[in-house]
Amino acid sequence: MTKLIDGKVISAQIKDEVKQWVEVLKKGGKEPALAVIQVGDDPASGVYVNNKKKACAYVGIRSLAYELPWETTEGELLALVDQLNNMAECSGILVQLPLPAHIDADKVIEAISPDKDVDGFHQRNAGALCVGRPGFVSCTPAGILQLLIRSGVEIAGKECVVVGRSNIVGKPTALLLLRENGTVTIAHSKTQNLKEVCRRADILIAAVGKPKFFNREYIKEGAVVIDVGIHRLEGGKLCGDVDFEDVKEICGAITPVPGGVGPMTIAMLMENCAKAVCETFS
Ligand code: NDP
């Protein structure tokens, strides 16, 4: 029978662990504080930012909210990042993406101190993952790995196919699976025979950003399927990159959408915020 990998349960466990860790840190005089910067009033970003603030409150991390108008210039945003980089009581900085088109997101990410880059997007942290050094790992890939590990999925020696090669999901997920000794293939929009490549996978990571793209023709019997995609269909229902109903009887285990990868991203952000006050880490 297909196993449901429940991101709500696993993320709640991680948040409880972080909560305990934060208590210990505070007793030792280290108080994590996360600055969350939002530019403009995109409703989806507003929901994500609120969820992050709620998670901070739950685990005992102070959150500093910066809600800036859409008209904010790149220079003004960079000045705020610089101010937060130098603010001792702020241990983590998160700039909610996407930013308005007149602001260069890459420039802003690179301006964040790598020691406060709890999203793990800065080149130094991305590079650290690549060469196996300590650093912040971006939250969605870190969450995917925890879903697999805490569900007892063996990665070492398994065929892992990651479909998607973005800097925030596909590439870091592939590197994490490689670190766990998976045999990793990264597929993308130019990959030939994608169905055949995916059917080789013992572990398939679906991160293409296309609703219900993966049906049973892409899945090997018994495979573990992690669905990273999140899409709102007409009528308001959410779905992932995987056609859940079509594949659920073929795969061995699968994450649902919602309630799979999504809640893990925030849990791992909380973990990164706690790590940010540990000197031995960065
Ligand atoms: P991007 O759009 O940055 O990347 C999509 C990737 O999919 C690209 O590498 C692209 O290839 C590849 N791709 C697109 N079409 C195809 C195709 N037909 N066949 C094979 N590969 C294809 O998306 P992200 O990585 O940022 O996000 C992926 C999904 O994950 C989205 O649905 C997003 O909403 C979701 N997401 C969910 C999060 C969560 O917390 N649950 C967090 C972050 C993202 P190429 O490089 O060749 O263009």
Side-chain angles (χ1 to χ4, degrees):
M1 209 177 104
T2 306
K3 179 179 167 184
L4 203 63
I5 300 180
D6 192 334
K8 279 197 213 152
V9 169
I10 297 173
S11 65
Q13 280 166 3
I14 292 172
K15 279 192 283 185
D16 284 338
E17 289 164 15
V18 175
K19 190 176 177 171
Q20 285 177 11
W21 186 14
V22 169
E23 272 172 30
V24 175
L25 288 169
K26 282 182 177 169
K27 279 186 192 144
K30 291 174 180 163
E31 184 176 356
L34 171 67
V36 181
I37 306 174
Q38 188 185 355
V39 185
D41 55 5
D42 174 55
S45 291
V47 172
Y48 291 133
V49 166
N50 268 337
N51 288 341
K52 287 167 189 172
K53 285 187 204 157
K54 270 193 222 157
C56 280
Y58 180 77
V59 302
I61 290 174
R62 194 149 67 94
S63 60
L64 314 164
Y66 294 86
E67 281 152 27
L68 309 180
W70 186 89
E71 302 73 35
T72 303
T73 64
E74 187 177 282
E76 286 165 339
L77 182 56
L78 290 171
L80 173 60
V81 167
D82 188 48
Q83 186 193 325
L84 292 167
N85 282 341
N86 292 303
M87 190 193 281
E89 66 266 35
C90 163
S91 46
I93 303 171
L94 183 150
V95 179
Q96 184 63 45
L97 301 177
L99 288 169
H102 62 273
I103 299 178
D104 180 346
D106 288 340
K107 208 166 162 184
V108 175
I109 289 165
E110 289 311 307
I112 296 172
S113 160
D115 297 335
K116 298 190 179 187
D117 168 42
V118 286
D119 253 340
F121 294 166
H122 191 282
Q123 279 182 36
R124 197 189 82 183
N125 286 314
L129 175 63
C130 196
V131 295
R133 305 285 302 166
F136 292 111
V137 176
S138 77
C139 303
T140 302
I144 292 169
L145 189 68
Q146 284 303 314
L147 282 175
L148 293 169
I149 291 173
R150 291 177 186 242
S151 305
V153 176
E154 206 183 315
I155 301 170
K158 299 292 176 191
E159 288 280 348
C160 306
V161 176
V162 180
V163 194
R165 56 174 163 179
S166 69
N167 289 336
I168 62 170
V169 182
K171 281 183 208 158
T173 302
L175 287 167
L176 287 173
L177 293 167
L178 185 62
R179 196 178 76 182
E180 297 299 318
N181 300 313
T183 302
V184 182
T185 302
I186 306 179
H188 46 77
S189 67
K190 308 290 185 292
T191 297
Q192 291 182 0
N193 306 321
L194 184 65
K195 285 181 186 170
E196 274 170 43
V197 173
C198 291
R199 277 202 303 266
R200 289 207 306 260
D202 300 308
I203 300 171
L204 178 71
I205 313 291
V208 297
K210 295 196 156 77
K212 300 190 184 183
F213 180 86
F214 297 90
N215 60 23
R216 61 176 62 205
E217 292 171 20
Y218 291 80
I219 314 288
K220 174 165 97 174
E221 197 163 346
V224 175
V225 178
I226 304 291
D227 189 352
V228 189
I230 179 130
H231 312 276
R232 195 167 288 282
L233 298 170
E234 272 181 42
K237 222 176 150 215
L238 291 174
C239 79
D241 285 355
V242 177
D243 187 342
F244 185 91
E245 287 305 317
D246 195 56
V247 311
K248 70 178 185 201
E249 270 136 36
I250 292 185
C251 53
I254 185 167
T255 55
V257 178
V261 173
M264 295 300 293
T265 300
I266 291 187
M268 300 318 291
L269 173 67
M270 295 302 105
E271 193 177 287
N272 276 352
C273 291
K275 277 182 185 166
V277 291
C278 301
E279 286 111 29
T280 47
F281 173 66
S282 52

